[in-house]
Amino acid sequence: MSRLFAVALGVLTAIGGFVDIGDLVTNAQVGARFGFSLVWATAIGVVGICVFAEMSGRVAAVSGRATFDLVRERLGPRVGMLNLVSSMLITFLTFVAEIGGVALALQLVASVHLLLIVPLVGLLVWLLLWRARFSAIENVLGLLGLALVVFAVALWQLAPDWSSVAHQAVTLDKPADEDWRTFAYYAVALFGAAMTPYEVFFFSSGGVEEGWTTEDIATMRANVLVGFPLGGLLSVAIVGCSWLVLGPLEIGVDSLGQVALPVAAALGKVGLAVAIVGFVAATFGAACETGLSVGYSVGQYFGAQWGKYVRAREAAVFHVVLLLATLAATAFLMTQVDPILVTEVSVVFSAAALPLTYFPILVVANDPDYMGEHVNGRLANALGTFFLLVIAVAATAAIPLMIWTRMGQ
Amino acid sequence: MSDPETGEERLENRLEATIDGALHLLDRQLLDREGRMLGKVDDVELTQRGDDLVITGVLTGPAALAQRLGGRLGGAMTRTWGQLRVSEPDRTRPWRIDVEDIDRLDSALHLAVRREGVLRRDRDALRLGTLTGMDVLGPDGTRIGRVLDARFQADHHGRLVLVSLIVGHGRPGSLLGYDRRGDIGPRLVRVVVRRLHRHTVIAGAADAEISWEARTVRLRSVPDRRPDHALR
């Protein structure tokens, strides 16, 4: 019974924790402009994150080593350092975007100026990172994030013509007023949003935090293979709502309020309230995850004690990094930078940095010295190789496309 | 593998087998006897004992790491690290952990002691990070390649002794373990790594004359042994 409970809890938190500010904004933007014609990019991204999260989780369960340990071991100190700097910058940008996202979500309710909310959110995030138990952060915020299911309900209420939806998704039928460059740009952005590297940093380090052993591999797989795809369906529901309500009105998404607008149109005030709860929980959860990921990667590169499974005093460097990262992120947001813009930039840079993270995972997951009998099977390797190639293409294309399309203008 | 005492599942202890210094030891996590982390294996200390080059400890901390970064960056970082506190003696000398304090090696290097006060700064010796990356010259002085990795084996005293050098093109560590056996997946990565390292050879330690000042290794005969992957 407790095992079933563990699986159910893991799946639910994976669904609630899958969507973050990057997914919310990118999916709503894409929905409003391209409808269902880019669903394939989300689908590929979801399968990709499943493949590599499962690998990194398995490595963590068998060897007790999290993802950045593998990066340092297989790429060496030099390339590892380059990787550390770039991953930290990207994860930090995502962290900024998530804190900004919490503040934007709270602003929808409170209607006070953003700069009054940001410091409060920063303080709350830091307090959670410092004091709260790891499982509390993951479970409570993950479960609350399930409120985003309201997008699926809204989509059902909006009653689209499902056969034309399927037709648009399968034939990649983009609206005539959009060109292929922006189409490609948003495909890369969706892929980057789904495969953000912090997700595997957090997932594998979380496995170490919770003391996974080989016995937990089955539970871990269930969480990944059921939870992430269902989270991906939530992303698609956001796309759909956005397409049906914002598309005909020619509204482009540049605020969090516009992301929630279709829910309000379909379900009224109650729906809007539930959506905002979902926004706050999802972005707050992701803020904690990205903040922790910054600390994890520094700890795992230098070998200093990290993790919330030891007392804060035992992992002093880790907690200093968390504090500095939160302070810096809050300070960055206080410059009145637009959190939506930071989000857009962070998902594209994520796409550009993907190979640095995912290549070492694939190599170590195949190393029998490391994994014993739990090395990758044929399916994992076939998918891993395929995604390595997809990742390489997306990474190469990301920055040129960003410049060429002027960020999808 | 199960622990005979506690019955709990443990990974194989690699210190009892043949290890490749760069692949298995460098950059591993250091854990103390209670499982607490205390750093990375930033470098490995080697000592010449008679004819043998023996692992006598592991090095950790910024001074060791800066050297590993190599080149101009590594030199600059080592100098800067020293200048941060000029009054401190031997600041650029890395912290070391004696091989006596090491218990076992699997996905991490486990110490036999608690982490409190385990680091010492009592000597400065030869480093594995200097050996890997050295230019390798043949008997006639032509360049064969670089030291990509160094293979160690436990002798009957339990000391880890250098037995051979893996020599090839590219950077140390770029073999990624694909030289050790022929069946490691995925196929695409294996094919690419082997193609890049098709000229890799193994030179016996008895055959190699290591010049630490000139940072070169001179071989007395042309090596003809190939790593496992080349044989298949």
Side-chain angles (χ1 to χ4, degrees):
Chain A
M1 192 61 208
S2 67
R3 189 156 184 93
L4 197 66
F5 176 72
V7 173
L9 184 66
V11 168
L12 293 178
T13 53
I15 300 170
F18 183 82
V19 176
D20 69 352
I21 186 76
D23 296 294
L24 287 172
V25 172
T26 318
N27 283 306
Q29 283 176 336
V30 166
R33 288 177 59 177
F34 298 91
F36 288 93
S37 62
L38 275 165
V39 165
W40 61 274
T42 307
I44 294 180
V46 169
V47 178
I49 192 67
C50 285
V51 169
F52 283 101
E54 192 273 338
M55 261 186 239
S56 70
R58 183 154 37 89
V59 173
V62 174
S63 68
R65 302 271 75 78
T67 297
F68 225 90
D69 281 327
L70 314 181
V71 169
R72 166 92 194 257
E73 264 182 49
R74 293 298 146 131
L75 299 182
R78 259 177 102 101
V79 183
M81 177 69 90
L82 181 76
N83 196 344
L84 178 71
V85 172
S86 52
S87 319
M88 263 183 61
L89 270 176
I90 293 160
T91 310
F92 175 74
L93 273 186
T94 318
F95 186 41
V96 171
E98 307 291 352
I99 293 182
V102 181
L104 286 176
L106 290 175
Q107 195 190 23
L108 291 178
V109 186
S111 303
V112 293
H113 197 279
L114 200 63
L115 293 191
L116 292 174
I117 307 177
V118 164
L120 179 72
V121 176
L123 182 69
L124 278 175
V125 167
W126 174 70
L127 278 176
L128 272 194
L129 295 183
W130 185 38
R131 304 297 302 193
R133 287 225 313 274
F134 181 82
S135 54
I137 296 177
E138 201 185 19
N139 297 339
V140 174
L141 293 171
L143 290 178
L144 279 175
L146 279 178
L148 290 176
V149 172
V150 74
F151 274 93
V153 178
L155 182 61
W156 171 61
Q157 280 290 310
L158 289 167
D161 172 10
W162 292 104
S163 66
S164 76
V165 165
H167 181 266
Q168 198 185 19
V170 173
T171 58
L172 317 188
D173 181 20
K174 70 172 174 55
D177 56 342
E178 299 287 350
D179 74 3
W180 289 105
R181 290 180 304 168
T182 48
F183 186 76
Y185 172 75
Y186 278 106
V188 170
L190 280 174
F191 187 68
M195 288 203 67
T196 329
Y198 88 81
E199 292 177 49
V200 287
F201 293 150
F202 178 75
F203 188 70
S204 61
S205 306
V208 177
E209 293 260 20
E210 291 174 341
W212 287 352
T213 64
T214 47
E215 286 170 10
D216 298 302
I217 291 180
T219 312
M220 179 276 291
R221 277 200 181 128
N223 294 347
V224 169
L225 299 181
V226 180
F228 284 5
L230 289 177
L233 280 185
L234 274 189
S235 296
V236 175
I238 296 171
V239 168
C241 288
S242 200
W243 172 239
L244 292 171
V245 175
L246 306 180
L249 302 174
E250 302 272 320
I251 299 177
V253 174
D254 49 22
S255 78
L256 202 56
Q258 284 158 332
V259 180
L261 200 58
V263 177
L267 302 172
K269 277 187 207 161
V270 178
L272 183 65
V274 177
I276 291 175
V277 170
F279 286 168
V280 173
T283 49
F284 214 111
C288 291
E289 293 180 6
T290 44
L292 285 170
S293 295
V294 173
Y296 289 147
S297 44
V298 173
Q300 286 158 19
Y301 180 87
F302 290 103
Q305 178 70 54
W306 52 269
K308 297 211 33 79
Y309 67 99
V310 292
R311 275 173 297 175
R313 159 155 51 95
E314 296 266 311
V317 173
F318 176 68
H319 281 279
V320 169
V321 172
L322 293 185
L323 175 61
L324 290 179
T326 317
L327 275 176
T330 311
F332 190 24
L333 283 165
M334 294 303 277
T335 62
Q336 285 198 301
V337 64
D338 177 13
I340 302 287
L341 181 70
V342 176
T343 309
E344 291 172 293
V345 173
S346 73
V347 294
V348 176
F349 278 106
S350 288
L354 292 174
L356 286 173
T357 308
Y358 291 110
F359 178 66
I361 298 177
L362 183 62
V363 169
V364 171
N366 272 291
D367 188 342
D369 288 350
Y370 223 90
M371 299 292 290
E373 57 182 308
H374 298 285
V375 288
N376 273 1
R378 279 188 185 189
L379 180 64
N381 269 341
L383 288 170
T385 310
F386 170 72
F387 276 101
L388 201 61
L389 297 174
V390 176
I391 284 167
V393 172
T396 320
I399 308 279
L401 275 176
M402 183 168 96
I403 297 168
W404 198 23
T405 63
R406 293 196 218 153
M407 294 191 70
Q409 295 294 304
Chain B
M1 192 169 125
S2 291
D3 186 340
E5 283 170 32
T6 60
E8 89 189 60
E9 200 161 306
R10 292 175 101 181
L11 296 166
E12 193 184 347
N13 181 10
R14 297 212 60 87
L15 289 180
E16 290 156 6
T18 312
I19 60 164
D20 286 356
L23 180 66
H24 292 124
L25 204 48
L26 285 181
D27 302 311
R28 292 270 153 138
Q29 180 69 45
L30 285 165
L31 299 177
D32 78 350
R33 59 180 294 175
E34 286 161 17
R36 296 174 301 171
M37 303 167 192
L38 67 146
K40 289 277 173 178
V41 179
D42 289 315
D43 215 331
V44 172
E45 181 190 85
L46 304 174
T47 307
Q48 193 77 43
R49 295 263 159 84
D51 286 341
D52 297 332
L53 198 57
V54 182
I55 294 182
T56 48
V58 296
L59 307 174
T60 186
L65 180 61
Q67 284 277 307
R68 283 285 307 293
L69 292 175
R72 226 178 284 174
L73 175 68
M77 281 184 66
T78 310
R79 272 195 305 283
T80 311
W81 180 247
Q83 282 160 356
L84 288 178
R85 196 154 188 239
V86 287
S87 51
E88 184 181 326
D90 303 322
R91 189 173 159 85
T92 54
R93 181 187 285 182
W95 292 108
R96 61 185 291 274
I97 297 168
D98 204 275
V99 75
E100 297 293 314
D101 292 333
I102 294 171
D103 177 30
R104 51 200 300 278
L105 169 69
D106 45 37
S107 69
L109 189 66
H110 300 259
L111 303 187
V113 291
R114 286 163 55 88
R115 68 178 177 181
E116 280 79 10
V118 71
L119 298 180
R120 312 173 190 185
R121 206 188 245 170
D122 49 356
R123 54 189 292 236
D124 201 352
L126 307 173
R127 301 184 198 179
L128 178 61
T130 320
L131 179 59
T132 55
M134 277 187 187
D135 276 331
V136 180
L137 308 175
D140 55 352
T142 52
R143 186 173 176 279
I144 298 177
R146 268 180 173 166
V147 179
L148 296 184
D149 212 329
R151 196 159 281 179
F152 295 87
Q153 202 164 25
D155 68 359
H156 52 276
H157 302 294
R159 307 178 309 175
L160 282 165
V161 180
L162 179 74
V163 287
S164 52
L165 298 173
I166 321 277
V167 179
H169 302 294
R171 302 193 139 275
S174 58
L175 279 163
L176 296 166
Y178 284 90
D179 59 322
R180 288 178 63 85
R181 42 196 289 182
D183 57 348
I184 308 179
R187 180 189 285 264
L188 178 72
V189 180
R190 180 175 71 222
V191 168
V192 171
V193 172
R194 287 179 175 187
R195 175 84 191 144
L196 291 174
H197 289 283
R198 62 193 179 279
H199 300 300
T200 304
V201 287
I202 302 179
D207 236 16
E209 219 173 295
I210 302 169
S211 161
W212 293 91
E213 288 76 34
R215 300 207 166 187
T216 53
V217 178
R218 203 178 189 107
L219 300 179
R220 295 193 189 93
S221 63
V222 180
D224 52 3
R225 256 176 73 210
R226 313 289 303 273
D228 279 351
H229 75 267
L231 298 173
R232 285 169 204 250

